[in-house]
Amino acid sequence: MAGAEQVVGSERESRPSPIDVHVGSRIRLRRTLLGMSQERLGESLGLTFQQVQKYERGVNRVGASRLFDLSRVLDVPISFFFDDMPDSLAANFGGVPSRRVGGAEQQDPFGDDTLSRRETLELVRAYYRITDAAIRKRVFELIKSMGPVES
């Protein structure tokens, strides 16, 4: 019986923690929004791109000092890596749901994966490559006008 418990325990340990997976996905999101390669991020941190890949997949846990370095290199507050954590995940691990503002739940008009899609990232990058602020604003207004009317 003890052998069976060890197999179950080791199987659980071999899977990445959902929190590590979430933090890794936020690292990947920010890196790709900046147009930064895994290799360049790794160089900035003194790591190989394979180590960055493991962080992004949640296979390797990100320690506090590394999280601090990542926030500095990616130019975001440390809290960014925990933003948009699903309420169920936060509750399971004793955290506070992150999508609540002033006691009311924020609605996510996009699905959970919309912001991490390649199409979204390319659109954001292209938008910010428009150097003329007036043209960028007109493009923004055009895109807004093409969507459904907000109530």
Side-chain angles (χ1 to χ4, degrees), residues 2 10 12 21-22 34-35 41 46 52 58 68 76 82 102 106-107 111 122 145-146:
S10 66
R12 190 177 314 130
V21 171
H22 178 79
L34 293 173
L41 178 57
V52 172
F68 180 82
V76 291
F82 300 96
Q106 263 184 336
Q107 287 192 328
E122 288 176 6
S145 73
M146 296 169 84

Side-chain angles (χ1 to χ4, degrees), residues 12-51:
R12 190 177 314 130
E13 291 171 11
S14 67
R15 284 184 272 146
S17 160
I19 292 177
D20 294 332
V21 171
H22 178 79
V23 168
S25 71
R26 299 291 292 178
I27 293 169
R28 180 176 182 271
L29 172 65
R30 180 61 180 166
R31 177 185 60 75
T32 52
L33 281 172
L34 293 173
M36 183 184 289
S37 68
Q38 289 177 331
E39 187 173 9
R40 198 167 106 215
L41 178 57
E43 287 170 0
S44 299
L45 298 167
L47 303 171
T48 65
F49 79 91
Q50 291 97 334
Q51 289 170 298

Side-chain angles (χ1 to χ4, degrees), residues 17-136:
S17 160
I19 292 177
D20 294 332
V21 171
H22 178 79
V23 168
S25 71
R26 299 291 292 178
I27 293 169
R28 180 176 182 271
L29 172 65
R30 180 61 180 166
R31 177 185 60 75
T32 52
L33 281 172
L34 293 173
M36 183 184 289
S37 68
Q38 289 177 331
E39 187 173 9
R40 198 167 106 215
L41 178 57
E43 287 170 0
S44 299
L45 298 167
L47 303 171
T48 65
F49 79 91
Q50 291 97 334
Q51 289 170 298
V52 172
Q53 282 179 334
K54 288 181 179 182
Y55 283 138
E56 290 184 357
R57 289 194 328 253
V59 174
N60 283 1
R61 193 165 275 173
V62 181
S65 59
R66 181 75 69 212
L67 201 59
F68 180 82
D69 292 340
L70 282 160
S71 73
R72 181 183 46 78
V73 170
L74 297 174
D75 195 29
V76 291
I78 291 173
S79 62
F80 169 84
F81 301 109
F82 300 96
D83 288 347
D84 296 330
M85 186 176 295
D87 290 346
S88 60
L89 182 61
N92 285 342
F93 289 91
V96 178
S98 63
R99 289 192 242 183
R100 299 198 185 275
V101 177
E105 187 170 332
Q106 263 184 336
Q107 287 192 328
D108 185 0
F110 310 109
D112 281 344
D113 67 340
T114 301
L115 292 176
S116 61
R117 285 190 197 149
R118 181 167 302 279
E119 177 185 28
T120 306
L121 299 173
E122 288 176 6
L123 180 63
V124 170
R125 280 192 210 123
Y127 175 79
Y128 282 109
R129 279 195 304 265
I130 301 171
T131 56
D132 186 318
I135 293 174
R136 193 169 51 240

